Amino acid sequence: MSNIVVVGAQWGDEGKGKVVDLLAEQSKWVVRYQGGNNAGHTLVVDGRKVVLHLVPSGILQPACTCVIGNGVVVNPAVLLEELDELAALGHSVTPDRLVLSSEAHLILPWHLALDRARESALGDKRIGTTGKGIGPAYEDKVGRRGLRVADLFDRDALASRIREVLPENNRRLTEWYGEPPIVLEDVVDSLGPVADRLRPYARPATRLLYEACKRGEPVLFEGAQGTFLDVDHGTYPFVTSSNTVAGSACAGAGVGPTAITDVIGIAKAYCTRVGSGPFPTELDNELGEKIRTIGQEFGATTGRPRRCGWFDVPLLRHAVMVNGMTELALTKLDILSGLGPIQVGMAYRLGGRVIEDVPAGAAALERVEIDYEVFPGWDADLSRVRAWGELPAACRNYVAALEHHVGVPIRLLGVGPGRESVIRREPGST
Ligand code: IMP
């Protein structure tokens, strides 16, 4: 039995969904355990695009049951929209295919309003959030003011709970940000039909996963965002509001650490970041623009252009450490074709001295200088290559060097957007 956590090793958008979709073939369960609809994964189904934000990427594997775990924050309207979109594509998601943890917290209208109002008040100091209410929803969860999926199903209790928590949020909205207040009755009325549709999906996810693990059924845990957006281990304060690292799978799904057997990190063959915050190997120039265009580096959730830069070894080594990563998958290798010489950030310097670790906090990371190593590039189109031995020698050399310096085996390479566009590799091969 293998229970695998798939985790982003950079700042998100590493192509986790594609790897999850692939690994889901051998899984019985696919579980989201943190984040919310700030995540976005584009799937192509019979030539039509569908962007999933909340439904786990395993949904297209008919033998998989998908779980939205307790650690996820759920905007109920967004979840229903996704289910409708999937149904329109002929993938009707019945409750036996999707479990929504009754303990997951809800994203409610004041969370969205506060997220957006706060960001606009911050001006050029803004985080660059996705504006989906993620931060305020987690704040309410930790502040014990949240509402959970289970609360949706008792209309009277729901109204009285909203009556308790709304005034504080409305005061923030109106007095701090000059925004209109949220009207209690509007919220309660809008949640009624939503609750009726979601009720069949709401089940005790933790118990179901416990039983599944006991039966030896493989479980895949699908991380959202990436290691450096983790609220503890990322480039604080330019982070998301959940723990994105692999350990979070346990708390966010309700399984014990002993249930996890492998942690697969996903990294792009270069690096991207969306939103504000430090990015040591960023290419704020024509080359960065070229990578953005070739790699179609625009956010799946917000459409924002992603910042692009070179692969960063110290960052990846840190990700290996904080995730207990057992292997790495390298995606979008095809994008580097034809770019000329390829650089890799090999070491960080602060005050002229090489430092061992990624410094804590955004301010110190802004100050690091990078020692780069230059690798010869390659021109061949990789998108049809399916065997390691058929890759250009320069490309194999690049991957082998990253494996050596990062320190974990690279077994899987992505060379295109499709499910079939992968190369499997024996670790250590050159
Ligand atoms: P929030 O998660 O919407 O609060 O945004 C906080 C930070 O995380 C911002 O920099 C976002 O751009 C970033 N972020 C959130 N979700 C994703 C994602 O799925 N991919 C990449 N960046 C993300």
Side-chain angles (χ1 to χ4, degrees):
M1 175 201 66
S2 61
N3 294 334
I4 303 171
V5 183
V6 171
V7 71
Q10 293 157 330
W11 281 285
D13 310 314
E14 298 93 348
K16 296 177 290 294
K18 178 183 152 163
V19 177
V20 168
D21 183 38
L22 202 74
L23 294 174
E25 278 174 15
Q26 291 118 48
S27 299
K28 183 75 186 65
W29 300 79
V30 179
V31 187
R32 275 281 308 269
Y33 54 87
Q34 46 75 225
N37 62 310
N38 47 351
H41 169 50
T42 309
L43 295 168
V44 181
V45 188
D46 304 329
R48 285 169 74 187
K49 255 192 194 179
V50 55
V51 184
L52 298 180
H53 298 287
L54 273 169
V55 175
S57 305
I59 202 68
L60 297 183
Q61 297 290 350
C64 271
T65 303
C66 290
V67 178
I68 298 177
N70 57 277
V72 176
V73 283
V74 178
N75 181 327
V78 170
L79 177 55
L80 289 174
E81 261 167 47
E82 263 178 47
L83 296 180
D84 288 343
E85 252 187 272
L86 283 164
L89 289 170
H91 292 270
S92 174
V93 181
T94 46
D96 58 316
R97 297 281 327 278
L98 179 70
V99 177
L100 172 61
S101 168
S102 310
E103 292 163 332
H105 276 252
L106 299 173
I107 298 179
L108 292 161
W110 54 90
H111 298 134
L112 290 152
L114 278 168
D115 193 1
R116 289 168 192 176
R118 196 180 279 159
E119 281 284 277
S120 81
L122 280 170
D124 62 4
K125 293 210 160 44
R126 68 185 173 275
I127 304 294
T129 73
T130 58
K132 306 294 182 192
I134 306 296
Y138 277 116
E139 283 169 42
D140 272 359
K141 170 180 174 172
V142 176
R144 295 166 292 200
R145 295 180 301 270
L147 277 91
R148 309 202 289 181
V149 167
D151 296 322
L152 284 172
F153 309 126
D154 178 339
R155 207 175 147 91
D156 291 339
L158 178 73
S160 89
R161 180 75 176 140
I162 296 179
R163 199 170 291 114
E164 271 169 39
V165 300
L166 190 55
E168 184 172 334
N169 284 300
N170 266 343
R171 255 186 101 170
R172 285 209 186 108
L173 271 175
T174 54
E175 291 178 24
W176 292 7
Y177 299 117
E179 294 289 325
I182 304 289
V183 179
L184 177 112
E185 291 73 20
D186 291 351
V187 181
V188 176
D189 288 348
S190 70
L191 288 176
V194 164
D196 292 341
R197 281 193 65 194
L198 286 181
R199 190 192 287 260
Y201 297 94
R203 287 193 281 154
T206 299
R207 163 63 60 184
L208 292 171
L209 289 172
Y210 179 69
E211 301 292 350
C213 288
K214 272 214 308 204
R215 288 192 297 273
E217 295 173 359
V219 183
L220 191 60
F221 297 90
E222 175 182 357
Q225 292 86 46
T227 300
F228 295 94
L229 289 174
D230 183 286
V231 67
D232 286 293
H233 300 286
T235 47
Y236 193 87
F238 299 99
V239 292
T240 191
S241 297
S242 64
N243 283 113
T244 60
V245 293
S248 178
C250 296
V255 301
T258 46
I260 310 289
T261 55
D262 302 277
V263 177
I264 303 184
I266 317 295
K268 275 182 196 161
Y270 48 98
C271 223
T272 64
R273 163 163 215 167
V274 61
S276 321
F279 183 172
T281 58
E282 181 168 14
L283 286 162
D284 192 8
N285 57 21
E286 245 175 59
L287 195 52
E289 183 67 48
K290 196 168 170 186
I291 296 176
R292 176 157 48 245
T293 309
I294 303 172
Q296 283 297 296
E297 295 295 356
F298 298 89
T301 298
T302 58
R304 287 180 293 176
R306 297 178 186 140
R307 300 153 65 193
C308 298
W310 296 122
F311 192 90
D312 184 331
V313 166
L315 204 73
L316 256 290
R317 279 209 204 112
H318 197 87
V320 168
M321 179 168 81
V322 293
N323 289 297
M325 201 185 291
T326 50
E327 69 176 79
L328 184 69
L330 202 63
T331 59
K332 300 191 94 165
L333 194 55
D334 53 312
I335 305 304
L336 297 180
S337 293
L339 282 187
I342 297 168
Q343 300 195 46
V344 174
M346 285 294 184
Y348 287 174
R349 281 177 192 275
L350 257 185
R353 279 227 183 102
V354 172
I355 53 169
E356 194 58 39
D357 272 319
V358 175
L365 194 54
E366 289 282 10
R367 292 201 313 272
V368 296
E369 290 162 31
I370 308 290
D371 284 354
Y372 284 101
E373 188 171 328
V374 183
F375 289 79
W378 59 88
D379 289 327
D381 173 16
L382 307 186
S383 60
R384 287 198 180 76
V385 179
R386 296 291 174 267
W388 169 251
E390 287 164 22
L391 286 169
C395 178
R396 282 184 277 132
N397 180 42
Y398 178 68
V399 174
L402 296 191
E403 177 179 69
H404 172 73
H405 289 288
V406 170
V408 288
I410 298 180
R411 288 179 205 277
L412 202 69
L413 306 170
V415 288
R419 220 186 239 176
E420 66 295 343
S421 309
V422 291
I423 297 173
R424 294 176 200 276
R425 165 179 184 269
E426 270 309 303
S429 30
T430 50

